[in-house]
Structures are given as C-alpha cells and as structure tokens.
Amino acid sequence: MYRLLAVCLCVCAAVSLTEAKPPRRKGAQPRAQGKDAQPDEPEYDDGPFLPERTSQCLVNGISLFEGAVWSPEPCNVCQCRSGAVSCRAAPCPRAAQNGPQSGVQRAKKLSPRLENNVDAAPKRKEKEKEKAPQRPAVKSKKDKSKAALGALPKRGETAVTPVRVVEKPAPRRKPAASVATGVAGDRQPLAWGPEGNTDDDDDDDDDSSMMRPAGRPLDPPGTGRPAVPVPSLRPVVPPPRPAPSSPRRPVALPTRRPPPLPTGRPPVRFNARPTVPHAQRNSYMESLPSGCLLSDSLIACGSTGMSHLPVINDPGVRALYLADNKISKIPARALAGLPNLEWLDLSKNKLDDTSFSAGLFQGLPRLRRLNLDGNNLTKVPALPSSIVELKINDNKLSGLTPSTFKGLFKLLTLELEDNHFHDGNVSPLTFRPLRKLIYLRLDDNRFRAIPSGLPTSLQELHLSDNRIEVVHSGVLNKTINLRVLNLSHNKIREDRISPRAWIHLSKLDTLDLSHNKLVHVPSFLPSGLRQLLLHHNHIERIPGYVFGHMRPGLDSLHLSYNRLREDGVDQVSFLGLYGSLTELLLDHNRLGSVPRGILQLKALQQLRLNNNFISDVPLNSICDTRVAEDSPLLSVHLENNLIDRRLIPPTAFSCIKNYHSVVLRPQNYEDIYE
C-alpha cells in the first residue's frame, strides 16, 4: 500500500516538473524572472553553472557577469558565483568522431561541459568511445577555447553570455588549404561539430589568447530554427567552386610576328607602334641567314652573304630589303607568297637579265618601289603598273625603246644613272607612257644633247656627268613644268646654247651649269630663275644687262672658280638684280679690286671676294657713306688677298652692323707689311 502511494507521488512530481519546465527552443530568449523568483540552483558537480546575475567578478582586470564561465587552463572550469570565482576540474575533451551528427549533438560537441552533463544516453556514449580511435589528449589553446564555451540555459534560468577565446588568424597556407574569411556584407556559415572544424593540429596555434564577447547566432545547417549563440573559433573553409562541365582551353590569337629565326637569334621589331594582326594569316619562309632583321611588315637581310632568294609566304610583309648580297637568281615562286609587298630592294647583287623569271614582278600587284641599283642588267625587266619609283642606277642598260616603260602610267621617279645610254639608243618615244613622271635622273651616261620626248609633267631633270655640248632649241619646249635643271659636268659653251633653249621655262627655279666650258655668262636665261650656278667654268666677263630681263631676279649667283677680272664686270652687269640678289660668290677669281656695281645691290647679305688679287678697299665701294642707313650685309669675306689693313678707310665698312662680319685675315704676303 505504501509502495503504491510512493510510486504515485513520484509520478505526479515528475509530471508537474515536466509541465513547469518545457524544453526551450534553440535561439529563443530566456523568460525574464521576477525579483522574488529564486531559480533552482544546479548542483556544482552534476549540472551546468547557471546562477542569477547578482554581482560581478574581476578576473585579470576583466569584469565578468554573475554566472560567467571560463577555462583559465586546460581541464579546469571556473564560474563567477555571488561575486566570487569558483573553479573545478573538468574532463578533458576527446577527439571528435567523424560522420553525420544531429544539430543537438553538434551543439553538445561545442562545449565539453555539455558532454559531461548529458547523462541520458551513457551506453551510446560508451559505444562511441569504443569505436573512436584512442588518441592522447593534447593540451592546446583550442582545448581552452572549447572549454570556455557556456552551457545552454534551461527554462526559467538566466542566460549566460559565453566568453570566447579568440586566437590570432593562422598564417596563410597553400590555396588548397586556404581559410575563407568573412567579407563585409557577406555571411560565412559557422562550423557545426567536427564537420566544421576537423583540424586538430596545434602546430600553428602558438599565439596568446584573449577574450571577447561571443558572435551573433547563425542558423545551423539543416534546420529552420535560430541557432544558439555559439562562438566561432576558426573561419570556415568554403567549398571549392564546381568545376566547369568542359575545361576551357586557351585561345591562341593570330599574330603578325614572323616565325623565329633558325639561328636562335631573337627577332628584332623595327616599328614600336602596335599593329592589328590579320584575322587569318598563314606564314612560311625558308631558313634565313644570320643577321636578318624582322618586324611585323619588314624583312631586312642586307649584307648577309645570301646567294639565293628564299621562298617566303607571308601576306603581312610589305617591305623586303635584300641589298648588298650575292643573289644571282630569283625563282618565280620566291615572291609569289608576298601579295602585299610594296617595297623591294635588290640593289648591289649579281642579277642579270636571266635572273628574273617571266612575270616575276607582275605577280606583285601592290609593288610601288623597286630598287635594282648596282647589278648587271642590260634591259629593264617587265614591271607591274603599280610602280611609282624605279631605280636602276649603276647597271649596263644599253637602250630604251618605246615599249620599255609601257603601262607604267603611275611612275613618278625614274633613276637611270651610270648606264650606257647615248643619243642613238634612246628613242624619242621612250618617255611617252610616263604621263605622271616628275623626277628623271640620267646622270653619268654618254649623252651629247638633252634627250628629246621628255614628258610634260617633268619637274626635275638631272643630266650631269655626260658629254653634252649643245642645247638645241625646242628640246625643252614641252617641259613647261620644269623647276630644276642640272647640266653640270658637261662640255657646254655659251655659243652652243640656243637663244630659245629655255627662255620659255617660266617655272624654272634652279639652273646648274657648273663645271662646263662657259666663257661668258649665258644670255637669254629663264626670266623666273632664282638660283644660277656657274662656278668652275672659264668665265671672264659678265655682260651688261645680262640679267636685266629677270623678274623678280636672281636670289643666288655662284661665280666662284672662274677667270673674272675687274674689267670683266661692268657697272650694269648686275642690273636686274639690285633688289633681289642676297648671295654673290666671286671668290677664287682674278679680281684686282672690288667689282663695280656691288654698291647698288640693296638686298645683298653675303659677299665673298676672298682668294683674289684685291689690294685696297676704296671708300664707297662696299658701303655708301652718303646714306645713313645700315646695309643688310651679314658676311663679307676679303681674306687671302693683297689688302693692307692699315690703309683701309675707317668708314669703309661703316654700313655693316657687326665688324666681326668682315673677315680680313689672313692676307697674302702679310708678313711683308709687318
């Protein structure tokens, strides 16, 4: 009877206790207790420390609330109770087992105290201990951190703010084991149980620890309930990014860089400007000799001893420089792979008429400049109509026919210097197809007269170092646009120049008749001439009024190295040049005095009378003392004459601003006077 009554009382007590303290949901705030309510004080050894917050404890300069729990050293737990610190021994934590765990088990694994206070399933714990590998307990600061975690408060008890021991961040490791840290604005999940923190090594945990408030609660994985405020001891390593379904392969962009040289020398880029590569470009070239320079659009193999032209297949090449080599044969396919070639230099090689295959250059539709100087050609090869500059100097060309330049209507520059041309092997119809030619060079040939049939578009004609003796009338009638005419180093005499040879050339600016056999300054000069070169002739006289018809007049007159005497210059010899002539060169002649008429040259800036036989400088011979204006003269050379400087009148050079502009030293036989 009494036993039945005792059993009923126990059951009622258990039911009432269960109804009074329902299990609190994780993350819920504890219910506030009244001032008169006294919480059930847990046993010191059997349950967690959860007293009221009636006072604070001062530990190592840190104020802790009533009920705060911490671990000052491994396997030891302390609690603030009624303003005093109470410590007790606690079982050391064991290694966490691997495998899936529930949310409650993970929460228990965070605190060693919870593991000791859970007595509901002792058998299961024993089985787990038997299965788990036995590892010696290692005293580390991680253990201190785990032991410092607070216990979960029960219903009706005051929540205790756990104190977390925070370690300094571990040093960086390799990317495979790198630690992902939280970034502002991003939430990183905390590790729950052994899944979140499986690193039990303590090699890198040798930093001193410090305490700070616990972190904010986060949702445990796999549950929809808020989590208990649990501190995070270590950042969570984020899962690796999923590998793409198909690995990406690097895309090789096309390049305009030529292939590396077989000799191992690095290629040299000529232009520093960035170039846009071709979308599709397949290049190929045979082995090039050492010393070649390559760039995006240029291949330069000058002076490399090359004996044959290699096969090159590269649409990006625009210039090919092969000068000063030993090339004697060019196969047809050698240039077939260069459709965009614009400039080709084959000068100073061993090319002859048999070196070019039929249609070699016609396969280059964009070729504009071709240099064949210094070879052994006897005739001009067939060329494409795109040519604008052609140089075949220093060859053995022996004739020009009407079909030589057929189709070259775009040609602007033609150089045929130092060949075997003469009056009999150049047809008058040779230059008819060259409707745009502006520059023609025929120096160092065997012409005795100016070739006829020159194009109307011609602006510059060079015929120096020939054997020209006569200038016929009408030969230059059609060259009305001629600006420069060079007839130096010939055998021209003034009486062999037709009066109407060039009088109609109103645009002629420069006429070079130096190194000829002129005795007088030629008459009937072009009226618009600005520069006349007559040095190194046999000129003895400047006829009066010879320049009188010129408008506006000469700017420069070179009469050096002639045979002029003082009686060979008249008072009106420079008539027509008074307001235009700025440079007058009369040095290295036979003048015995300052020529007459110089005083009237109002624009004269440079006067050379050196290396003559002048003995004195009379008054008003260079400067007009009757006029107060300064002369524009900047340079007067009178050295190497017979002038006694002591006899020069003080005002002889008064019109010259700077006396240093007058050169009087040295004088011939100057030591006699001194």
Side-chain angles (χ1 to χ4, degrees):
M1 185 67 181
Y2 291 102
R3 291 181 180 178
L4 182 60
L5 182 60
V7 172
C8 293
L9 291 175
C10 291
V11 172
C12 294
V15 172
S16 62
L17 181 61
T18 303
E19 292 177 355
K21 297 182 179 180
R24 187 174 61 86
R25 290 165 55 180
K26 293 182 179 181
Q29 297 295 333
R31 187 172 56 187
Q33 300 182 13
K35 296 182 180 180
D36 300 334
Q38 296 294 334
D40 295 335
E41 186 173 334
E43 294 295 332
Y44 184 79
D45 294 330
D46 298 333
F49 298 114
L50 294 174
E52 293 184 8
R53 299 182 181 179
T54 58
S55 61
Q56 297 181 353
C57 298
L58 184 63
V59 180
N60 294 330
I62 301 176
S63 296
L64 301 177
F65 289 104
E66 179 72 16
V69 181
W70 70 96
S71 177
E73 57 186 23
C75 302
N76 193 8
V77 179
C78 296
Q79 184 181 24
C80 180
R81 301 183 59 178
S82 301
V85 179
S86 298
C87 299
R88 71 174 179 87
C92 295
R94 296 181 181 272
Q97 292 183 355
N98 297 330
Q101 297 179 353
S102 63
V104 176
Q105 291 175 342
R106 292 170 182 167
K108 290 179 180 180
K109 288 293 180 179
L110 292 175
S111 174
R113 289 178 55 84
L114 291 179
E115 293 179 1
N116 297 332
N117 294 332
V118 177
D119 299 328
K123 295 182 180 180
R124 184 174 58 186
K125 292 177 62 176
E126 292 177 359
K127 292 181 180 180
E128 292 177 355
K129 291 180 181 178
E130 292 175 359
K131 294 180 181 179
Q134 297 295 330
R135 295 178 59 184
V138 180
K139 293 183 180 182
S140 64
K141 295 182 180 180
K142 291 184 179 180
D143 298 333
K144 298 179 184 180
S145 302
K146 293 180 179 180
L149 297 177
L152 294 175
K154 298 180 180 180
R155 183 177 180 183
E157 295 179 343
T158 304
V160 179
T161 303
V163 178
R164 181 176 59 173
V165 179
V166 182
E167 298 176 354
K168 293 183 179 179
R172 289 188 177 180
R173 299 185 181 180
K174 296 181 180 179
S178 62
V179 178
T181 58
V183 183
D186 298 336
R187 297 183 61 183
Q188 299 292 342
L190 294 175
W192 292 85
E195 295 178 357
N197 186 11
T198 60
D199 186 10
D200 294 334
D201 298 335
D202 298 281
D203 297 338
D204 57 345
D205 298 331
D206 54 353
D207 297 334
S208 60
S209 62
M210 59 181 178
M211 293 183 292
R212 68 175 182 181
R216 63 180 180 179
L218 297 177
D219 297 340
T223 64
R225 299 187 235 178
V228 179
V230 179
S232 175
L233 298 179
R234 184 182 293 254
V236 178
V237 179
R241 294 183 178 179
S245 57
S246 60
R248 295 184 180 179
R249 298 182 179 178
V251 179
L253 296 178
T255 176
R256 293 187 64 186
R257 184 186 297 275
L261 298 179
T263 57
R265 296 183 57 180
V268 178
R269 299 175 63 88
F270 279 94
N271 52 347
R273 297 182 300 175
T275 56
V276 180
H278 294 285
Q280 295 181 353
R281 176 175 172 183
N282 298 323
S283 60
Y284 165 80
M285 66 178 66
E286 292 182 1
S287 177
L288 296 176
S290 176
C292 291
L293 303 178
L294 309 179
S295 73
D296 289 342
S297 59
L298 170 66
I299 298 178
C301 294
S303 305
T304 58
M306 185 185 299
S307 58
H308 74 284
L309 183 62
V311 176
I312 303 174
N313 184 3
D314 192 343
V317 175
R318 297 179 181 273
L320 182 59
Y321 179 80
L322 301 173
D324 197 11
N325 282 290
K326 301 176 181 180
I327 301 174
S328 59
K329 186 71 175 178
I330 302 180
R333 61 188 182 93
L335 302 177
L338 303 174
N340 296 317
L341 191 65
E342 297 180 0
W343 180 57
L344 177 60
D345 193 332
L346 292 168
S347 60
K348 298 181 180 180
N349 278 279
K350 297 182 178 181
L351 301 172
D352 53 25
D353 298 334
T354 62
S355 300
F356 307 117
S357 59
L360 175 67
F361 297 111
Q362 278 82 355
L364 302 174
R366 297 188 178 183
L367 187 63
R368 295 172 56 85
R369 301 172 60 188
L370 178 61
N371 191 339
L372 296 172
D373 293 349
N375 285 284
N376 299 317
L377 302 176
T378 61
K379 61 181 180 179
V380 179
L383 301 172
S385 60
S386 58
I387 289 287
V388 297
E389 179 182 285
L390 178 61
K391 296 181 180 180
I392 317 181
N393 301 309
D394 192 16
N395 275 270
K396 299 178 181 180
L397 299 179
S398 57
L400 298 174
T401 64
S403 61
T404 300
F405 303 114
K406 185 177 181 180
L408 303 183
F409 56 89
K410 294 182 180 180
L411 192 64
L412 301 177
T413 300
L414 177 60
E415 296 186 10
L416 300 172
E417 179 182 351
D418 193 11
N419 281 282
H420 297 164
F421 297 132
H422 54 79
D423 301 322
N425 60 12
V426 177
S427 171
L429 303 177
T430 297
F431 306 104
R432 175 173 291 183
L434 308 179
R435 298 189 297 268
K436 295 184 178 180
L437 189 68
I438 61 175
Y439 184 93
L440 177 59
R441 194 174 197 94
L442 293 170
D443 302 323
D444 200 7
N445 279 284
R446 302 175 184 175
F447 290 107
R448 293 183 177 272
I450 297 176
S452 58
L454 297 175
T456 306
S457 59
L458 194 63
Q459 297 182 13
E460 193 165 342
L461 176 61
H462 293 264
L463 285 166
S464 63
D465 290 288
N466 275 277
R467 303 176 183 178
I468 298 176
E469 298 178 355
V470 59
V471 180
H472 297 289
S473 61
V475 69
L476 298 174
N477 284 348
K478 295 182 178 180
T479 58
I480 56 176
N481 294 308
L482 199 63
R483 296 181 180 274
V484 177
L485 177 58
N486 186 351
L487 296 173
S488 62
H489 294 88
N490 279 285
K491 300 178 180 181
I492 300 175
R493 298 176 56 180
E494 70 278 0
D495 57 348
R496 303 296 301 273
I497 301 175
S498 172
R500 303 188 62 84
W502 43 52
I503 191 66
H504 60 284
L505 300 178
S506 59
K507 295 182 180 180
L508 191 64
D509 180 84
T510 302
L511 176 60
D512 190 350
L513 292 172
S514 60
H515 294 275
N516 276 280
K517 295 183 178 181
L518 300 175
V519 177
H520 298 157
V521 174
S523 303
F524 305 105
L525 294 170
S527 60
L529 200 64
R530 299 291 294 169
Q531 186 174 9
L532 179 61
L533 291 85
L534 298 173
H535 56 87
H536 291 89
N537 275 279
H538 307 302
I539 296 177
E540 299 177 355
R541 185 169 179 269
I542 305 176
Y545 305 103
V546 68
F547 305 115
H549 65 287
M550 291 188 173
R551 297 292 183 274
L554 289 175
D555 177 73
S556 177
L557 177 59
H558 289 207
L559 285 166
S560 306
Y561 293 93
N562 278 284
R563 301 176 182 178
L564 283 171
R565 298 178 180 271
E566 59 272 13
D567 57 353
V569 182
D570 295 335
Q571 184 70 30
V572 291
S573 292
F574 302 108
L575 182 67
L577 309 179
Y578 292 159
S580 64
L581 193 64
T582 61
E583 183 181 39
L584 177 59
L585 307 184
L586 295 171
D587 56 284
H588 294 87
N589 277 277
R590 301 178 182 179
L591 297 172
S593 61
V594 178
R596 294 172 292 178
I598 292 180
L599 196 63
Q600 282 75 30
L601 300 175
K602 303 300 181 181
L604 192 63
Q605 298 180 8
Q606 183 175 3
L607 174 62
R608 298 190 70 97
L609 292 170
N610 54 287
N611 294 89
N612 279 279
F613 299 99
I614 300 174
S615 59
D616 63 336
V617 182
L619 198 64
N620 297 328
S621 60
I622 295 178
C623 290
D624 191 353
T625 59
R626 297 163 295 184
V627 180
E629 297 179 358
D630 290 333
S631 171
L633 275 171
L634 300 176
S635 176
V636 177
H637 286 262
L638 288 166
E639 70 272 15
N640 294 315
N641 280 283
L642 301 174
I643 301 174
D644 186 356
R645 299 193 307 274
R646 296 171 296 182
L647 302 178
I648 298 176
T651 57
F653 305 107
S654 59
C655 63
I656 301 175
K657 298 179 182 179
N658 191 351
Y659 281 100
H660 294 287
S661 300
V662 181
V663 181
L664 292 170
R665 291 184 179 181
Q667 293 292 325
N668 295 332
Y669 312 108
E670 191 170 16
D671 53 344
I672 298 176
Y673 299 101
E674 296 181 353

